[in-house]
Amino acid sequence: MTFDQMLESVRYEGAYPTRERAEEAVHHVLGALGRRLTGAERTDLARCLPVEAALTLTAQIPDARPLTGWGFVKDLADRTGATPATTRWDTGAVLAVVTRLAGPDLITRILSRLPDGYALLFGQAELRPHQPAA
């Protein structure tokens, strides 16, 4: 997939009125994800993305501070000045396309490295082990 095709896919997913708005969402969300991912998952994801998107992801220095999925959305909203609702929408639109590009095995590996709450951002069910009542 080319970067232009990726932007059109994100534009469709997010129902954005312009390509520029989709591109803005891609750069914000992938930059934020680049601050969360490290190691082989980061490298493997970059390989699945168009070059422009991979550069956005890998240009960020990973932040050791763990954030839940909701913390990720709130942090990105604070950085961009957008509302949490808009940021959640943007995140879902971009990560839906990223999920298709990366494939289920890599997404499973990525989610296993991230704190709770990211699965929903990637359009996946957040399954937790059954814990018996006390």
Side-chain angles (χ1 to χ4, degrees):
M1 178 179 281
T2 68
F3 188 60
D4 286 335
Q5 291 169 326
M6 181 182 188
L7 292 180
E8 283 306 312
S9 293
V10 170
R11 183 177 177 190
Y12 178 80
E13 282 289 332
Y16 297 119
T18 65
R19 180 183 183 279
E20 291 75 22
R21 179 64 184 90
E23 186 170 6
E24 178 182 282
V26 166
H27 287 297
H28 287 313
V29 173
L30 289 181
L33 187 60
R35 288 189 290 277
R36 300 287 130 224
L37 289 179
T38 60
E41 289 74 23
R42 177 183 170 107
T43 304
D44 292 347
L45 180 58
R47 285 187 192 125
C48 296
L49 301 174
V51 172
E52 298 89 335
L55 290 173
T56 298
L57 177 82
T58 59
Q60 302 301 312
I61 297 170
D63 186 346
R65 175 180 50 126
L67 290 176
T68 63
W70 179 239
F72 174 88
V73 170
K74 288 191 316 185
D75 181 63
L76 183 53
D78 289 344
R79 288 175 185 267
T80 62
T83 66
T86 299
T87 303
R88 173 60 184 93
W89 183 268
D90 291 349
T91 301
V94 173
L95 294 183
V97 175
V98 167
T99 297
R100 288 196 298 271
L101 290 171
D105 292 340
L106 179 54
I107 294 302
T108 298
R109 286 181 30 222
I110 288 170
L111 292 174
S112 73
R113 303 275 303 209
L114 294 170
D116 287 344
Y118 283 85
L120 293 174
L121 299 177
F122 281 88
Q124 310 290 311
E126 180 110 30
L127 302 176
R128 296 181 185 186
H130 174 69
Q131 297 182 358

